[in-house]
Every structure is written in C-alpha cells, then in structure tokens.
Amino acid sequence: MSIEIANESGMDVPEEDLVSVARFAIGRMNVHPAAELSMVLVDLDTMADLHMRWMDLPGPTDVMSFPMDELEPGGRPDGSEPGPSMLGDIVLCPEFAIAQATKAGHSLDQELALLTVHGVLHLLGYDHAEPEEEKEMFGLQNTLLAEWYESLREAQRRAAQTERDRTLLGKAGFTDSGDPLGPA
C-alpha cells in the first residue's frame, strides 16, 4: 500500500501516525493492499480556497476527501476481485483541527487521527448527510480508531516485554541467541 504525505501546513504534525492510521483503516476496510492514497496537510487559507472551490462553502474546514476510483467497501458479491486502485486525496488542515481538539478534550494528534479515518471513509463512499448514514459512518470511524489505538498499545506491550526478556536473559548470562555466555 502506498501512502504519500505532503505537509504544507507549516505545522509540525506526527506524519508517521497519520500514515499508520490511514494504512490501518484501509486494511480493515478490505481495500486491495496495492491501493494508493495521497494526504496533504494545508494551512487555513489553502483549505478555505479548496472549501469554496469544491463545496461552495466559505471559510476553512477540517478535512476534505477527493476520491479517484469509485470503490465499494467490501466489494460486490457478484463482482470480480478488486485490484489496486488510487483511492484519492485527503486534505487536512491541522490549524483548523486545533480548536476541535480542544473542544473535544483531546490532543491535536488524536484529532488528526480521527480526521484521517474520517477522510478514508469518505474516499470509500461513506457519508453522513442523513442520520442513518451518520450513525453508520461515525460508528465505523470510532471502531476503527479504537482498534488502531489498541494495536498501538499492544505493540508497546510487546516491545516492553521483549526489552524485559532481554534484560533478564542478559542477567542470567544468555546471549540474544539463547546460548549461555562464557566457556562451554
């Protein structure tokens, strides 16, 4: 899976985390592993321009999605096996997201992860214009985020356990290969 990210926002953001959460969401949604995604982080003025140009709405917004290939989540049962595709572009505005993060009581990093998943779901055809659509999309968004955060916690637990094991094995006189140190 190819995910390109360009930070033109002038803000320092955790680009690796944004790629990670996008990759996680795309994988969970059973999108072909060779799919491509582009992410651009922009400033308020650029986002306001895009918002007016594409949505005919004044002022900046938090995230916009521009799908390329029309996809259906999970595919059609009577359709052929989906191949690689260009999902499209997600445009994020970190500066706009700061106020939302503060209002929600979480960090900017968490808000950007949420917006990334939101953008991915829009690329996959999800919407929230109607109450039922909103319930489905936001429920899926929350599930994907919770699973991603759990996967990060599990990776941290495994890394900590590996480090504890190395320390204990080193104190017991074993090398990383499990062989005792010293003369045979």
Side-chain angles (χ1 to χ4, degrees):
M1 179 175 315
S2 172
I3 300 176
E4 299 289 327
I5 189 164
N7 187 351
E8 301 169 3
S9 70
M11 294 182 63
D12 187 30
V13 299
E15 294 176 23
E16 316 80 42
D17 288 349
L18 299 181
V19 170
S20 173
V21 73
R23 186 178 311 282
F24 183 88
I26 290 166
R28 282 289 199 268
M29 296 303 295
N30 297 319
V31 174
H32 193 282
E36 298 176 24
L37 170 67
S38 172
M39 298 176 66
V40 182
L41 288 78
V42 298
D43 61 25
L44 286 170
D45 291 338
T46 303
M47 185 59 99
D49 181 54
L50 290 170
H51 202 211
M52 180 56 84
R53 185 180 314 161
W54 293 100
M55 304 294 292
D56 202 24
L57 294 171
T61 189
D62 51 5
V63 61
M64 293 181 72
S65 298
F66 299 93
M68 297 297 271
D69 295 337
E70 192 166 325
L71 300 174
E72 293 182 23
R76 292 176 42 118
D78 60 344
S80 62
E81 186 66 27
S85 61
M86 177 61 187
L87 295 178
D89 301 317
I90 296 173
V91 181
L92 299 167
C93 184
E95 193 173 350
F96 189 90
I98 290 171
Q100 292 178 166
T102 302
K103 185 177 178 182
H106 56 239
S107 71
L108 174 60
D109 294 357
Q110 290 171 308
E111 185 70 15
L112 291 173
L114 180 147
L115 294 173
T116 298
V117 172
H118 189 86
V120 165
L121 291 176
H122 273 307
L123 291 179
L124 296 176
Y126 287 88
D127 202 358
H128 47 85
E130 300 297 326
E132 282 303 311
E133 292 174 336
E134 181 177 337
K135 182 179 177 182
E136 178 185 19
M137 183 176 177
F138 284 48
L140 183 54
Q141 175 180 290
N142 292 339
T143 298
L144 290 169
L145 276 171
E147 289 175 355
W148 179 67
Y149 282 119
E150 180 55 36
S151 76
L152 294 180
R153 285 189 292 273
E154 181 58 31
Q156 289 173 337
R157 283 192 290 270
R158 283 193 308 267
Q161 185 61 52
T162 298
E163 188 56 36
R164 284 191 298 272
D165 291 349
R166 279 196 185 114
T167 301
L168 288 173
L169 288 172
K171 288 180 182 177
F174 287 88
T175 64
D176 284 340
S177 65
D179 295 330
L181 297 174

